[in-house]
Amino acid sequence: MNTFANHCRAQLQVPRNTTSKCILDEVTRKGATAKYLQRIRQVLRSQLNGKNKIRAINSYVLPVIRYPAGIISWPMEEMKATDVKTRKLLTMHGGFHPKSSTLRLYTSRKEGGRGQVSVRATVQDETSKIHKYIKDKASTDDVLSECLRQWGTEDEVLEVPSWEDKPLHGMYHRQITEVADIRKSYQWLEKAGLKDSTEALILAAQEQALNTRAIEAQIYHTRQDPRCRLCKEAPETVQHITAGCKMLAGKAYMERHNQVAGIVYRNICAEYGLEAPRSKWGTPPKVVENDRAKILWDFQIQTDKMVMANQPDIVVVDKEQRKAVVVDVAIPSDHNIRKKEHEKLEKYQGLREKLEKTWKVKTTVVPVVIGALGAVTPKLEQWLKQIPGTTSDISVQKCAVLGTAKILLRTLKLPGLW
Ligand SMILES: [Zn+2]
């Protein structure tokens, strides 16, 4: 900060010519902005994942702006223009959907945003920090007190409305608030390490920003038939495509479901030293067994007619502890996760009683339910702990979200870029 005080002194000693100061400011701003945009392009072209690209922007690109920010004046229009340009570059590189929420781009990842910092916020933050420094030191330093006198005005407080309150952009957030663990539902943004284009796609899906036929007809009032392009039965919404279309149920949903169940399955195998399929695309055998355990995959268990649900995704029997766990996976619409969890529990109670009676093992039913766009209930972590082996909630959530991204890309025939 001593350098800064020296800078102030230098400025005050220069004959006070407003025009030359203005020109100097402008030249500095132009130079900084050009350097900033050059670095942004460099970061966007890199192979970094979505989270690390944004970290690079915040810690490697924005300092170019921050360095001169508090010292020279920076007109609001210029800051806004540079932010618009930044978002255009993001969009061009596939990292930000053009109709996605700008507020959310600048919200921290913990709160469900992308965690980018804007030029505007950087300049305002730096300016207010320097003002605070000057205010604190003005009483003991003549030069700084002269600075303070010249500045005079109070800092403009940056008031940021929240994306959750927006009618379309915040709809998903409001829908899942009642059923999901919000922090956990967004943790894939922090921990999954997805590509920026996948992050952008899933957030756009959550924000009703994707051009589905229903959105085109209802929001943009085009003459598009709002019904689903595949089944022609229901309105084509993101919810319908990701978890409600009967044309996708047989293959696409099944594939996503099996990928998630496969993670759990392989972790159980590892726990008991049983061999699992090497490739994540390989279908597990119906039965694997050793001295310690027996694992059934999608196996129809012989029961009397009273037990309707007798083919859960996984049954694992621990022979030493005389315990069995019945696991069933579901990836419903995000607002349905709690209901689905309950449904799965109820559905397998008959099978649980049957197994306890005939196999003489203590049996637990464990639902593994993840919303198609990542929402999870507060209980998911506890459920996973009841399954032998170690399955993290982030691993299954990441897998479900990736599966959904694939379904959206294929169905909406989205190109790589928007
Ligand atoms: Zn459909």
Side-chain angles (χ1 to χ4, degrees):
M1 272 305 183
N2 276 337
T3 11
F4 172 69
N6 288 338
H7 173 91
C8 291
R9 283 196 183 87
Q11 283 222 331
L12 289 173
Q13 278 152 20
V14 169
R16 293 266 296 286
N17 180 336
T18 337
T19 336
S20 74
K21 165 88 166 76
C22 278
I23 292 171
L24 187 68
D25 280 7
E26 196 182 339
V27 170
T28 313
R29 281 197 312 268
K30 287 245 162 79
T33 308
K35 183 88 186 157
Y36 165 88
L37 290 172
Q38 182 218 329
R39 286 193 180 188
I40 285 269
R41 288 192 181 91
Q42 189 190 351
V43 169
L44 292 179
R45 277 197 299 263
S46 73
Q47 299 294 312
L48 295 171
N49 69 32
K51 185 185 172 187
N52 285 342
K53 272 189 189 168
I54 302 247
R55 280 170 78 176
I57 290 174
N58 294 347
S59 60
Y60 164 69
V61 184
L62 278 166
V64 173
I65 300 288
R66 185 178 280 276
Y67 184 65
I71 298 165
I72 61 174
S73 66
W74 214 304
M76 181 61 82
E77 307 80 67
E78 263 186 50
M79 296 189 257
K80 282 186 182 167
T82 313
D83 281 330
V84 169
K85 183 97 198 234
T86 309
R87 293 196 295 271
K88 274 193 182 144
L89 286 171
L90 251 71
T91 300
M92 274 167 56
H93 284 83
F96 183 67
H97 191 282
K99 293 204 184 82
S100 202
S101 167
T102 304
L103 291 171
R104 196 176 184 188
L105 176 67
Y106 299 127
T107 301
S108 77
R109 282 179 180 251
K110 268 201 187 87
E111 292 165 65
R114 302 278 297 280
Q116 188 161 323
V117 178
S118 65
V119 167
R120 186 178 161 189
T122 304
V123 172
Q124 289 182 334
D125 177 55
E126 192 60 22
T127 312
S128 68
K129 272 185 186 152
I130 286 189
H131 283 194
K132 187 179 176 306
Y133 172 79
I134 291 175
K135 268 183 208 157
D136 291 350
K137 303 277 174 178
S139 54
T140 57
D141 189 311
D142 294 345
V143 177
L144 292 182
S145 83
E146 174 58 17
C147 274
L148 186 63
R149 195 187 64 74
Q150 282 187 30
W151 259 314
T153 51
E154 281 297 307
D155 293 332
E156 188 193 345
V157 182
L158 188 62
E159 222 175 88
V160 187
S162 114
W163 63 274
E164 294 104 323
D165 299 331
K166 299 283 170 181
L168 270 182
H169 287 160
M171 196 192 274
Y172 169 84
H173 182 88
R174 292 192 299 274
Q175 273 180 351
I176 64 162
T177 302
E178 303 219 322
V179 293
D181 178 329
I182 290 288
R183 195 179 57 81
K184 289 263 176 192
S185 296
Y186 293 136
Q187 76 170 346
W188 60 273
L189 281 163
E190 280 195 273
K191 297 184 181 164
L194 301 181
K195 286 194 297 187
D196 55 349
S197 55
T198 312
E199 288 180 359
L201 176 67
I202 296 296
L203 292 201
Q206 293 183 352
E207 292 160 11
Q208 314 288 319
L210 294 178
N211 252 354
T212 63
R213 292 193 172 179
I215 290 280
E216 275 184 46
Q218 286 152 24
I219 309 283
Y220 303 117
H221 303 290
T222 64
R223 297 177 65 188
Q224 177 67 263
D225 177 355
R227 289 173 306 166
C228 170
R229 68 192 72 187
L230 299 175
C231 68
K232 309 254 184 272
E233 280 176 11
E236 188 187 276
T237 57
V238 161
Q239 210 177 69
H240 175 79
I241 298 172
T242 56
C245 183
K246 66 173 193 189
M247 299 298 281
L248 292 167
K251 194 148 183 292
Y253 297 162
M254 182 61 85
E255 192 181 295
R256 176 179 62 185
H257 167 277
N258 286 354
Q259 289 290 304
V260 174
I263 292 179
V264 179
Y265 181 85
R266 283 194 298 276
N267 291 335
I268 300 172
C269 287
E271 174 74 11
Y272 292 110
L274 283 157
E275 200 175 327
R278 289 244 177 89
S279 150
K280 65 175 193 164
W281 299 103
T283 311
K286 288 274 178 192
V287 186
V288 288
E289 188 168 10
N290 62 11
D291 297 344
R292 297 173 58 202
K294 175 166 163 178
I295 311 173
L296 310 178
W297 167 269
D298 193 28
F299 189 92
Q300 191 171 9
I301 296 160
Q302 289 301 321
T303 50
D304 49 50
K305 284 193 186 120
M306 296 301 285
V307 180
M308 300 294 279
N310 61 354
Q311 195 170 356
D313 293 324
I314 302 168
V315 179
V316 45
V317 185
D318 186 313
K319 296 181 183 175
E320 287 157 4
Q321 296 187 33
R322 303 217 48 82
K323 272 186 186 169
V325 181
V326 173
V327 182
D328 212 51
V329 173
I331 302 166
S333 274
D334 294 55
H335 65 275
N336 253 341
I337 47 174
R338 195 166 280 201
K339 201 172 130 206
K340 199 66 176 183
E341 210 172 75
H342 189 71
E343 235 175 72
K344 293 275 176 198
L345 269 180
E346 290 292 301
K347 189 175 164 188
Y348 291 106
Q349 286 314 312
L351 183 66
R352 184 184 66 80
E353 284 163 19
K354 178 81 189 167
L355 293 186
E356 295 210 321
K357 222 181 270 168
T358 51
W359 293 5
K360 307 261 183 300
V361 285
K362 172 112 189 61
T363 309
T364 327
V365 178
V366 175
V368 175
V369 177
I370 301 141
L373 297 172
V376 297
T377 70
K379 283 192 188 155
L380 178 66
E381 210 177 349
Q382 296 164 34
W383 289 128
L384 290 171
K385 278 190 188 138
Q386 300 190 30
I387 305 173
T390 318
T391 302
S392 67
D393 48 1
I394 185 72
S395 66
V396 281
Q397 184 187 39
K398 175 182 175 177
C399 182
V401 166
L402 275 174
T404 301
K406 202 161 138 191
I407 292 170
L408 282 169
L409 282 174
R410 275 193 199 155
T411 311
L412 296 174
K413 300 211 167 43
L414 293 171
L417 304 175
W418 313 110

